[in-house]
Amino acid sequence: MRKFFIIVLIAVFGFVGYGVYAYRTADWGLAPDPRVRVMETSLAPTEAVWTAPLLQGLLRKTLTREDAGAETALGPVGQSPFTLSLTLPQDFDFEHRVRLLRYEDPVFDDRVSAWVPLALEAGDYTLEIVCSAPERDGEGYGSFRYRCSFTVEPKPEPTLLTGRLELEQGDIVSLRLVHVPPEVTPRAETELGMAVFTPDGEGAWYTAIPVSNAQPPGRYEISVQAGDRDFVVAVNVLPFAFVEQNLIVNTESTVITEASSPAAYREYREKIPPLFETYDADRYWHGVFITPAVGEISTAFGTIRYTNGNRARPRSHNGMDIAAPEGTSVFAPNAGRVVMAERLLNTGNTIVIEHGGGLKSYYFHLSRIDAAPGDRVEKGALIGAVGSTGYSTGPHLHYEMRIGNRPVNPAMFSDENAGLYSAASATFADAVPALQDNT
Ligand SMILES: [Zn+2]
């Protein structure tokens, strides 16, 4: 009887002891540790219930945990369409239930064994995952619940960035489009002249639009189309005070007579204006342009010229003359593709370089040509030498810049604050190589 009493006492203590142990301690080492990862972030369970077998299954211990604060806020995870990546534990005998809500609406709600990536549109999402093991003899069972929230942001709309929009005659309007979908090639239209968008990095496009010396001051519009998005840009053209110059030319000279003959002008018209219509779809130039030759500017861009005092027929000087001794090196002011390298009656030894998007540089009266059509030249490459061939009164480089058929001021190309660079991306910020003269 006494022995029996002791056994009962031990049993009661045992049960009470186990009860105290079961309630007071939560030994989660007895439970599995399923790792659920969303977008590479490990989630902590918000709720867990696990029943573990003890003493070879003679006893069971149930662990419970609730921690609403464990809900993970992932914040913005990307732009739509966004692929949701989810890693579900595969090393336990679990069933997974995944519920995904966009705002309050279910996007996905099913039992899965593994997660198939899902493309999501923009919105705020709540994700709930339950990993559960069914009750089985001799093994642990229970469930783990996870919750997290995240946002998928809308893809940015095409945006137009404008450079300076108040410009003098001879300057350039530059525009940059960003967030353009890959299938869209933007277009621009304006009476200012040629406007070709060239690629400028991922989803970005750039265009340089001329404001020629002959553009009457006033307000002009540029319409830009990028897929189904339209933009209108207003440009204010201000007058530039072009200087006047009386050019003294010896009309008796046979060289001058030949260089200004009807045949010379006919040849010019056949060779040069057709180039105005052409453009390369890629932009080759980068960084600020260098000056192609060392020398003094003898005639500025846009100078209104009379010949031998004849004021009846003024002509506009569409380039910039750099006076330099015969043989002075002429360098490519920026990267491009040589589209002409030949001797013409009027312009003498002539080189034309396409820099992309219809922006071309023209070099007249050279003594020597060191480039061939089709050549790709880098900034600073030697292309020829200063001379006095064609219609010229002395050694100088006639340096002309045009976008399409519209002349623009070559002096502005070496000014990093010019309109050309004002819608600049990082690709413009290259160092300017020093120009050296080897004459
Ligand atoms: Zn000139």
Side-chain angles (χ1 to χ4, degrees):
M1 191 64 193
R2 194 188 164 99
K3 216 172 183 179
F4 174 74
F5 181 72
I6 290 167
I7 289 167
V8 168
L9 206 66
I10 289 169
V12 168
F13 271 110
F15 271 105
V16 170
Y18 174 72
V20 168
Y21 165 71
Y23 276 101
R24 300 300 297 266
T25 66
D27 183 6
W28 283 91
L30 296 169
D33 184 13
R35 293 290 166 114
V36 168
R37 289 210 314 274
V38 179
M39 269 85 75
E40 303 310 315
T41 303
S42 249
L43 302 185
T46 52
E47 260 175 68
V49 181
W50 191 257
T51 301
L54 292 174
L55 303 172
Q56 308 288 322
L58 211 64
L59 296 173
R60 283 172 170 175
K61 175 175 170 175
T62 298
L63 304 160
T64 59
R65 187 157 79 181
E66 203 171 323
D67 182 7
E71 178 171 333
T72 312
L74 295 173
V77 292
Q79 289 170 5
S80 81
F82 178 81
T83 305
L84 174 64
S85 72
L86 189 59
T87 311
L88 299 170
Q90 299 297 313
D91 45 350
F92 304 104
D93 206 2
F94 280 132
E95 275 185 349
H96 308 296
R97 187 181 182 98
V98 178
R99 272 186 90 209
L100 179 65
L101 301 176
R102 181 176 177 270
Y103 301 108
E104 301 299 319
D105 305 323
V107 174
F108 186 91
D109 187 358
D110 210 349
R111 288 188 187 283
V112 290
S113 53
W115 179 250
V116 178
L118 200 66
L120 304 179
E121 57 180 299
D124 291 340
Y125 288 84
T126 313
L127 180 63
E128 193 178 79
I129 301 157
V130 181
C131 303
S132 52
E135 186 173 348
R136 333 162 257 195
D137 276 344
E139 287 186 66
Y141 60 90
S143 65
F144 294 79
R145 189 179 290 265
Y146 304 84
R147 278 173 68 89
C148 78
S149 59
F150 59 88
T151 303
V152 174
E153 293 190 324
K155 207 176 181 75
E157 289 281 301
T159 306
L160 183 69
L161 310 172
T162 59
R164 284 218 322 276
L165 298 176
E166 191 159 290
L167 310 115
E168 287 175 338
Q169 291 164 308
D171 207 341
I172 287 168
V173 182
S174 59
L175 303 177
R176 194 164 188 261
L177 268 168
V178 293
H179 309 312
V180 179
E183 69 281 4
V184 171
T185 300
R187 294 187 305 117
E189 241 176 81
T190 175
E191 61 179 285
L192 289 170
M194 183 180 269
V196 176
F197 275 103
T198 52
D200 189 38
E202 206 188 325
W205 295 78
Y206 171 89
T207 185
I209 300 168
V211 177
S212 86
N213 50 333
Q215 195 67 52
R219 187 182 179 276
Y220 296 88
E221 280 188 356
I222 302 168
S223 23
V224 174
Q225 214 183 14
D228 52 8
R229 291 296 310 271
D230 291 311
F231 305 88
V232 176
V233 177
V235 177
N236 192 21
V237 175
L238 306 170
F240 183 86
F242 296 112
V243 295
E244 291 189 4
Q245 186 188 52
N246 182 29
L247 194 68
I248 307 296
V249 177
N250 177 9
T251 50
E252 307 286 289
S253 150
T254 52
V255 176
I256 290 296
T257 310
E258 197 198 13
S260 58
S261 65
Y265 287 120
R266 192 167 55 240
E267 184 193 45
Y268 178 89
R269 282 195 303 274
E270 278 169 11
K271 297 274 188 176
I272 301 290
L275 294 175
F276 298 161
E277 310 304 317
T278 67
Y279 64 86
D280 286 7
D282 285 318
R283 198 186 76 220
Y284 306 124
W285 67 270
H286 50 88
V288 176
F289 281 64
I290 59 173
T291 309
V294 172
E296 228 170 83
I297 296 170
S298 51
T299 306
F301 168 76
T303 297
I304 297 153
R305 261 180 174 175
Y306 305 96
T307 306
N308 297 333
N310 180 6
R311 294 192 152 256
R313 291 182 60 203
R315 290 166 65 100
S316 201
H317 186 238
N318 290 327
M320 175 172 104
D321 285 349
I322 302 170
E326 176 118 1
T328 301
S329 295
V330 175
F331 304 97
N334 214 317
R337 186 173 71 86
V338 177
V339 291
M340 177 187 273
E342 65 178 87
R343 188 176 186 120
L344 301 182
L345 291 167
N346 180 254
T347 56
N349 283 323
T350 301
I351 296 174
V352 181
I353 300 174
E354 160 79 24
H355 297 283
L359 171 65
K360 290 184 185 67
S361 53
Y362 298 75
Y363 312 83
F364 297 164
H365 316 305
L366 301 168
S367 61
R368 201 179 73 226
I369 291 175
D370 296 325
D375 283 358
R376 285 291 299 270
V377 289
E378 287 306 314
K379 192 191 287 193
L382 181 72
I383 54 168
V386 170
S388 192
T389 55
Y391 191 88
S392 169
T393 55
H396 76 284
L397 173 68
H398 175 95
Y399 173 38
E400 194 166 303
M401 293 295 269
R402 285 178 186 261
I403 297 172
N405 62 350
R406 310 291 168 94
V408 287
N409 190 351
M412 294 201 179
F413 284 79
S414 50
D415 173 6
E416 62 183 34
N417 297 312
L420 179 71
Y421 309 111
S422 60
S425 67
T427 58
F428 292 109
D430 301 9
V432 184
L435 176 66
Q436 24 173 324
D437 186 37
N438 55 4
T439 50

